[in-house]
Amino acid sequence: MRIHRLSFTLVLPFALAGCATQSPHAANISQRIATNAIASPSETAPVADTPAPNDNLNALVWQQTSVEAKLISEQAYRDAADRLDAALRDKSWDALAKDERANPLKGLPPAVVLDVDETVLDNSPYQARLIRDGKEYNEATWADWVREEAALPIPGALAFAKIAAGKGIRVIYVSNRAQDLNDATLDNLRKLGFPIADKDVFLGLGTFVEGCEQNGSEKTCRRQLIGRRYRVLMQFGDQIGDFTGILANTPDGRVQAMQPYAGWIGERWFVLPNPTYGSWEPALFNNDWSQPAGKRRQSKLDGLRYK
Ligand SMILES: [Mg+2]
């Protein structure tokens, strides 16, 4: 899940430093300091431990605690479940991008394809820890989290997967988690009750696909592999790269990549909300994570619309 995870947002302890106008957050801290001035020294300790301001906090609070986030996910999966029978009946129905379908559909058994992180598994506790601890994403702490096998399901995902499996549809998971995390990922999914027909339903990074040249962590080859064996009824993801290849990861390029499939959204392709990380973020700074954090942040500010 390299590119995917690299897109985690940044800890920016300097965000308030040097600001001429004090933010409400800073004002609140000042108020607490003033209040604590009459308290004993030990009681003032929590102020020093206050986590630094983090650009990801509100996004994560929404993702993890808001009922709105839960309702959107449930709505997407319920809509999908309601359409499964029609998709099964229509033997010409296929949810693979047109340039990824090279073989005829005739006789292929049905499948649904789901991304894993923030599509079926909720990793928000990992991000909460990053904010609490003032840390950025790194592969080691991410691997530790995955190996806890403690991720909970994204609302609606488990019910949908069970319904699909119950109709004889193969449920396939395509993930960019590192290969050495495959077992922990499958165990996590199994413990939650997700249908895992066999080990082949999980296509992680490094899956070899004959006749297809893998481009980084793109999922195109793996989707083609699925297409050779199955008629894909639906796809699910929190990133547009979960559905199709992206020629240019810029804001405009991303819109263009999805434009031919606008009619498929909510019908064959189901997008789950994820405001906390994703390829939409580096799209604003030329996908160059080597830039200093402040420069990347400025590019994001520059990318906003002000009127
Ligand atoms: Mg994902």
Side-chain angles (χ1 to χ4, degrees), residues 85-293:
D85 286 341
L88 268 173
R89 272 195 308 271
D90 180 354
K91 301 299 181 197
S92 68
W93 181 288
D94 186 39
L96 217 55
K98 296 171 180 79
D99 58 351
E100 295 181 4
R101 164 68 64 194
N103 54 318
L105 293 174
K106 196 167 187 303
L108 295 178
V112 290
V113 177
L114 301 104
D115 165 55
V116 172
D117 293 312
E118 276 49 71
T119 297
V120 297
L121 291 183
D122 168 10
N123 301 292
S124 60
Y126 173 68
Q127 294 191 69
R129 295 174 195 180
L130 294 181
I131 293 175
R132 179 195 63 193
D133 300 339
K135 297 276 172 42
E136 292 185 33
Y137 164 83
N138 71 50
E139 289 182 6
T141 56
W142 168 249
D144 288 344
W145 157 253
V146 169
R147 291 198 174 99
E148 286 179 35
E149 301 173 9
L152 296 176
I154 292 292
L158 183 57
F160 172 82
K162 286 180 171 175
I163 289 168
K167 293 178 183 291
I169 299 166
R170 191 163 173 88
V171 180
I172 298 175
Y173 308 88
V174 179
S175 171
N176 279 345
R177 286 185 172 189
Q179 271 179 297
D180 62 344
L181 299 174
N182 284 1
D183 288 344
T185 304
L186 280 164
D187 285 347
N188 196 157
L189 291 168
R190 269 195 207 98
K191 278 194 271 189
L192 294 172
F194 279 95
I196 308 286
D198 52 56
K199 268 202 147 189
D200 292 338
V201 299
F202 185 83
L203 301 180
L205 265 187
T207 301
F208 175 70
V209 181
E210 200 173 347
C212 186
E213 194 170 334
Q214 178 77 33
N215 182 15
S217 59
E218 272 198 359
K219 296 179 170 180
T220 303
C221 288
R222 283 170 280 172
R223 287 192 293 262
Q224 286 184 20
L225 179 65
I226 294 165
R228 291 173 195 170
R229 300 170 183 172
Y230 298 95
R231 179 164 69 90
V232 178
L233 304 186
M234 294 172 182
Q235 298 199 69
F236 299 79
D238 66 301
Q239 310 282 318
I240 63 170
D242 294 328
F243 305 95
T244 186
I246 308 164
L247 283 176
N249 193 44
T250 62
D252 285 345
R254 295 166 59 77
V255 170
Q256 284 168 20
M258 295 305 277
Q259 194 277 331
Y261 302 100
W264 284 16
I265 305 302
E267 187 195 63
R268 301 179 199 208
W269 292 0
F270 293 85
V271 185
L272 282 303
N274 181 3
T276 60
Y277 66 88
S279 49
W280 45 267
E281 183 187 1
L284 290 168
F285 51 79
N286 288 328
N287 307 291
D288 180 5
W289 286 96
S290 70
Q291 295 176 78

